[in-house]
Amino acid sequence: MTTATPPKGRGPLARREARLAWSLLLPTLTSVMLVVILPLLAIFWISFKPVGLADLRPPAPVVREDLRDADEEVATLRYRIRNSSQDEPIRNTVLTDTLPAGVTVQALPEICTLEGAALRCDIGELEPGGRLTLEIPALLDGDPDALEDAIEDATPVEITGEADNILANFEFTLENFRDVFDAREFWTVIYATLFYTVVGTIGALVVGLFAAMLLNKSFKGQGVLRGLYLFPYVAPVIAVAFTWVILLDPFSGSVNALLVQMGVTDDTINFFGERPLALIMVTVFEIWRYFPLSFLFILARMQSIDHDMYEAADVDGASPFQKFRYLSLPMLMGILSVLFLLRFIWTFNKFDDIFLLTGGNAGTRTLTVNVYEQAFAVSNIGAGAAVAVVILICLLIFSWAFFRFISREEGL
Amino acid sequence: MRAFWYGYVTGPILGVLWAFIMATTLAVLLSFTTGEAFRPGLWGCILLGALVGLAAPENRMGWLLALGAAVLGVALSYTPFSPIHVAETVGMGGHLSAGIGFGIGLAWPVTVMMAGAPRGALNRHEWEEAVIRFLTGFGYIFFTAIVAIPFYVMVMTSLKTQGELIANPLDFSIDLSQGWGLFRSYSELFRDFNFGSYMWTSFYVSVLTVFITLAFSIPGAYAVARLKFRGQKALSRSILLIYMVPMIVLALPIYIVFSMTGLRNSILGIVMIYPVTTIPVALYMLQGYFRGLPGEVEEAGLMDGLNRLQVIWKITLPLSLPALASVSLYVFMIAWNEFLLAFMLLDDPSKFTLTRGIASLNSSEIPRQHLMAGAVIATVPVMALFLGLEKFMTRGLTAGSVKG
């Protein structure tokens, strides 16, 4: 007699469920793969490449076509061809065109063939920056102007060629990283990033905690205030950043006018243009814009704290500060540390705020702004990618810390 | 600290501090609404604050104190010892509003702060209560000011003309007699700067983003939340990891690829990229909600012969409508506010989204009231959605965790 044993391994039902799960996840995974994983790999690849903004457009042959001497007996079809790149040759260049009716070709250059109306010229290799002009004498039959239009506009000439793309070959360099680390401002960038991230994160948490304590009681208008306090986070960053810039403008900003009028300063202050004030101001902006988030989370946690504990503390004679210190704070420690880790990473990643406020000037260039500066302002995509790699390595360290600590806390 | 635990010490200290807060607040408020010069005065604040602080403990007639402070405030405002200095160009009305506002704004809150506190020795509870009430009052003023002032300035600047703004940057009073003329910056934006088309682009890009995001994330979230398969745990965790990649790092290769394939400068490219930035958020929010739904209902559906997809469509989705609303709002907000990708990928003014359009207004040739009008145009729809559907929105923000 066989004894009944529980089935081992996965049965057909479980397999079907797993298959369904994967097929449901497939679209998401593919898209994330395409837009997150691939670009990340690409960043590593590019960071070892000597590539500038101009190299993004691969070398291509360019052709211009015109008709000369149209009113004379023998007109000339002219093709002027050049290589768009000054550095890379173009191989296997082929020009094709369709000649309109009424054009009779007298003589063809050696490299060209004509089948019916289809003209084809095998140009071969074009030197870097090379130019070539093909002239084909032709008899015109009909209105020269109409034919000119037909030749120049109606049948567009096409030209193709092959060239190496700098991004696809196997030429590597460490130049980008050397550029990034050797630059005199590298340590300034690191300092600005650390200051902005640490002070911004802690500031937003503390201010958020204060705001949450204010609203952690029910009174009329509590909902309105809560909505109002979320405004900075909900409004588009571009709108609030420009408002701050205008408000703090050194020449005609209201804040400067106010400070002068109140006798705080005699000269106007260039809030976003002076070291180290600019860095402090972007950090203040960061705190202003993101305190609502910590406020929202801390408030939600506060309202879920059991009220009995406070009553027990009252019976024991605890004072308000003692209740906060020994009851509320330990209960909030979980959410505070989770918020700290998450906000730390996201503040580290923040780009648009500083970019819009100062453009990275006056000592406010953080690592993320540096990516943009290197890639687009200096037009050195490779160096930008190298900075991005530095960012990614920092993030790897952060996420390791994140998962070590967050797994202990109630997950968000 | 114990030295402070006396009503006649704590009262005046809190009174003076509150007097400074009140004087500054009122001076800023009056300056911003009238455009005239008001500034807080040191000695007036110390004098009146200390007096009111002394009188506040064990005070049974708060209104009398307020009246006295108001009268003193008005009277002092004509002397060098004014709590709020009023410019000479300002008439009687300015003195009256500054003095009375200050008096009441000082006496009433300080009376409330010191309520229940004796003149003499305070115990720990009474002292802390007074300090906490002071901090609470300060907090309300502080937070309301820092949030409201930028938005107030944004709206008011957009209603002014270049000349008025340069003449007096503090004057935010508006001349209602102009009627519709107040909105000239807005009409110029819509007429000359094509803002109507930017708004429409932003709107349909955001709506498309919402739909594409939902279409991708609902099945994904359901699979992660309900179905058992190998790698489920790792997957639901790594969703969070994607949050942590900075957008600018992704934007660089995306820019390169889009430049090479010709997707740059096209709405198609934007619509392809936006959902991918929002799918992880949406997936994370939705899977949390799906987990909370009772599984028995779905099992009942399975027993009755529905297959999984039908269960999702007929049971899970109708049950999670509130969550879908939150997610949609949140995603809409992200897409509407998105700036970086639009800025990098769009160069052609006919394809600008609203945020990109506003960025193009940021030049020295374009007057700032246009820039602020643009900012208002971008902010108002989000705010309207937010205020109208605050419950969903707040839930979306909390569940969407802290993505910023």
Side-chain angles (χ1 to χ4, degrees), chain A residues 192-206:
Chain A
T193 312
L194 280 180
F195 181 87
Y196 180 70
T197 312
V198 173
V199 179
T201 310
I202 295 179
L205 273 187
V206 171

Side-chain angles (χ1 to χ4, degrees), chain A residues 10 14 17-18 20-22 24-25 27-29 31-32 35-36 39-40 42-43 46 53 55-58 165 167 207-208 210-211 214-215 217 219 223 225-240 242-244 246-247 249 251-255 257-258 261-263 288 290-291 293-294 296-297 300 317-322 339 342-343 345-346 349-352 355-356 368 371-372 375-376 381 384-385 388 391-392 395 399 402-403 406-407 411-412, chain B residues 24 27-28 31-32 36-40 124-125 127-129 131-132 135-136 138-140 142-144 146-151 153-154 157 165-166 169-170 172 216-217 219-224 226-231 235 237 240-250 252-256 259-260 272-273 276 279-280 283-284 308-309 312 330 333 336-337 339-340 343-344 355 358-359 362 368 371-372 375 378-379 382-383 386-387 390 393-394 397-398 401-404:
Chain A
R10 301 189 312 153
E17 191 165 310
L20 178 69
W22 284 111
L24 286 178
L25 275 166
T28 307
L29 289 182
S31 62
V32 166
V35 184
V36 178
L40 285 186
I43 276 285
I46 299 165
L53 204 52
D55 299 323
L56 289 189
R57 185 167 294 170
N165 190 328
L167 284 172
V207 176
F210 189 35
L214 279 185
L215 291 191
K217 47 187 129 183
F219 56 91
L225 277 185
R226 197 179 64 169
L228 182 73
Y229 290 178
L230 288 174
F231 269 23
Y233 176 70
V234 179
V237 57
I238 185 158
V240 286
F242 282 152
T243 309
W244 271 60
I246 283 185
L247 200 57
D249 187 88
F251 302 111
S252 53
S254 310
V255 169
L258 203 62
Q261 180 190 304
M262 292 192 172
W288 178 80
Y290 291 103
F291 89 84
L293 264 174
S294 15
L296 200 62
F297 278 84
S319 76
F321 281 137
Q322 283 173 325
L339 274 175
L342 286 174
R343 287 301 325 154
I345 291 176
W346 283 316
N349 289 349
K350 204 72 217 153
F351 167 80
D352 357 15
F355 179 71
L356 287 170
T368 44
V371 175
Y372 184 88
F376 295 99
I381 296 253
I391 293 182
L392 286 176
L395 282 177
S399 359
F402 178 80
F403 274 118
I406 207 164
S407 48
L412 264 175
Chain B
T24 316
V28 173
S31 299
F32 273 1
E36 303 286 358
F38 293 88
R39 65 192 170 85
R124 183 177 185 145
H125 281 250
W127 185 75
E128 286 185 6
E129 286 289 351
V131 172
I132 284 178
L135 287 177
T136 312
F138 169 70
Y140 286 132
F142 174 75
F143 281 108
T144 310
I146 60 165
V147 173
I149 286 177
F151 289 97
V153 168
M154 185 202 282
T157 308
L165 285 171
I166 289 175
L170 278 181
F172 289 109
F216 278 68
S217 58
Y222 186 84
V224 173
R226 271 280 187 272
L227 304 178
K228 285 187 201 66
F229 58 98
R230 265 183 220 143
L235 211 76
R237 266 195 165 186
L240 262 179
L241 267 183
I242 295 169
Y243 270 177
M244 292 179 194
V245 184
M247 207 55 231
I248 181 82
V249 170
L250 295 183
L252 189 59
I254 288 170
Y255 177 89
I256 295 172
S259 299
M260 288 172 152
M272 277 167 62
I273 254 352
V276 185
I279 284 173
L283 210 155
Y284 188 71
R308 277 284 181 184
L309 295 179
I312 297 178
Y330 188 58
M333 187 190 96
W336 179 274
N337 290 353
F339 162 72
L340 171 60
F343 180 74
M344 286 180 73
T355 47
I358 296 170
N362 184 27
R368 61 172 59 176
L371 184 59
M372 286 296 95
T379 311
V382 188
M383 288 301 175
F386 172 70
L387 289 179
E390 201 208 323
M393 197 79 169
T394 318
L397 290 178
T398 1
S401 104
V402 240
K403 178 76 175 167

Side-chain angles (χ1 to χ4, degrees), chain A residues 31-298:
Chain A
S31 62
V32 166
M33 208 54 135
L34 277 175
V35 184
V36 178
I37 313 289
L38 273 187
L40 285 186
L41 295 178
I43 276 285
F44 279 99
W45 180 265
I46 299 165
S47 68
F48 292 102
K49 290 273 181 192
V51 46
L53 204 52
D55 299 323
L56 289 189
R57 185 167 294 170
V62 182
V63 62
R64 305 180 82 185
E65 173 188 31
D66 60 359
L67 182 69
R68 309 187 70 200
D69 310 329
D71 42 358
E72 287 176 23
E73 195 182 341
V74 178
T76 311
L77 268 175
R78 192 172 64 159
Y79 297 97
R80 281 174 297 172
I81 300 150
R82 68 182 173 87
N83 182 345
S84 70
S85 162
Q86 298 294 326
D87 313 308
E88 293 282 328
I90 299 173
R91 296 179 307 272
N92 298 338
T93 316
V94 175
L95 178 145
T96 51
D97 195 11
T98 313
L99 299 180
V103 179
T104 320
V105 172
Q106 296 292 87
L108 277 175
E110 275 176 24
I111 52 173
C112 295
T113 54
L114 186 67
E115 283 174 28
L119 176 75
R120 180 190 161 93
C121 300
D122 285 304
I123 295 157
E125 179 161 315
L126 267 179
E127 300 285 302
R131 287 168 184 279
L132 181 72
T133 306
L134 291 176
E135 290 190 333
I136 302 174
L139 284 178
L140 299 185
D141 180 18
D143 176 27
D145 285 338
L147 276 173
E148 192 169 339
D149 284 345
I151 288 168
E152 288 176 8
D153 299 323
T155 57
V157 57
E158 279 172 24
I159 193 161
T160 56
E162 295 167 12
D164 282 337
N165 190 328
I166 181 81
L167 284 172
N169 65 17
F170 288 92
E171 184 189 329
F172 294 107
T173 169
L174 282 173
E175 197 64 33
N176 296 323
F177 287 95
R178 208 170 300 135
D179 279 357
V180 169
F181 285 110
D182 281 356
R184 209 178 314 133
E185 73 264 38
F186 183 72
W187 292 109
T188 336
V189 169
I190 294 287
Y191 170 75
T193 312
L194 280 180
F195 181 87
Y196 180 70
T197 312
V198 173
V199 179
T201 310
I202 295 179
L205 273 187
V206 171
V207 176
L209 179 65
F210 189 35
M213 285 194 292
L214 279 185
L215 291 191
N216 187 26
K217 47 187 129 183
S218 43
F219 56 91
K220 237 188 210 164
Q222 191 234 23
V224 177
L225 277 185
R226 197 179 64 169
L228 182 73
Y229 290 178
L230 288 174
F231 269 23
Y233 176 70
V234 179
V237 57
I238 185 158
V240 286
F242 282 152
T243 309
W244 271 60
V245 169
I246 283 185
L247 200 57
L248 297 169
D249 187 88
F251 302 111
S252 53
S254 310
V255 169
N256 268 311
L258 203 62
L259 289 180
V260 169
Q261 180 190 304
M262 292 192 172
V264 181
T265 62
D266 294 331
D267 290 326
T268 56
I269 304 170
N270 190 357
F271 284 101
F272 288 120
E274 278 170 25
R275 285 166 200 253
L277 194 57
L279 183 57
I280 296 175
M281 285 317 289
V282 285
T283 315
V284 169
F285 179 83
E286 157 80 20
I287 296 175
W288 178 80
R289 192 163 140 71
Y290 291 103
F291 89 84
L293 264 174
S294 15
F295 151 71
L296 200 62
F297 278 84
I298 297 171

